[in-house]
Amino acid sequence: MSPVGIFGGTFDPIHFGHLRTAFELLQALRLAELRFIPAGNPPHRDVPLADAEARLAMVRAATAEQPGFVVDDREVRRVGRPTR
């Protein structure tokens, strides 16, 4: 089995710094894949500018052309996420 990386965050919005860091980790650690997991309702910060579905769509669009990048929507779909 090859290792899998996890890259979580609010991604509000996703930007070049996220993508470059992810690419460097994918290469340096020889990961089979790097999973982006956008936070559904991040408890560690103010309310995001974009809602969870929009941020998920942005991450999908930004990572679509990069082999090894996978978008995991489990935090956006999760029932019972914290509210403010």
Side-chain angles (χ1 to χ4, degrees), residues 58-82:
M58 285 188 276
V59 173
R60 284 187 172 138
T63 61
E65 300 299 318
Q66 177 58 50
F69 284 5
V70 175
V71 179
D72 186 325
D73 67 352
R74 75 183 66 212
E75 285 295 312
V76 172
R77 289 183 296 111
R78 188 166 66 99
V79 176
R81 29 182 218 256

Side-chain angles (χ1 to χ4, degrees), residues 30-72:
R30 298 181 182 175
L31 301 173
E33 65 184 43
L34 192 130
R35 292 186 163 264
F36 286 78
I37 304 180
N41 186 10
H44 63 286
R45 58 164 282 179
D46 291 335
V47 177
L49 297 174
D51 67 29
E53 291 298 328
R55 291 183 287 107
L56 179 62
M58 285 188 276
V59 173
R60 284 187 172 138
T63 61
E65 300 299 318
Q66 177 58 50
F69 284 5
V70 175
V71 179
D72 186 325

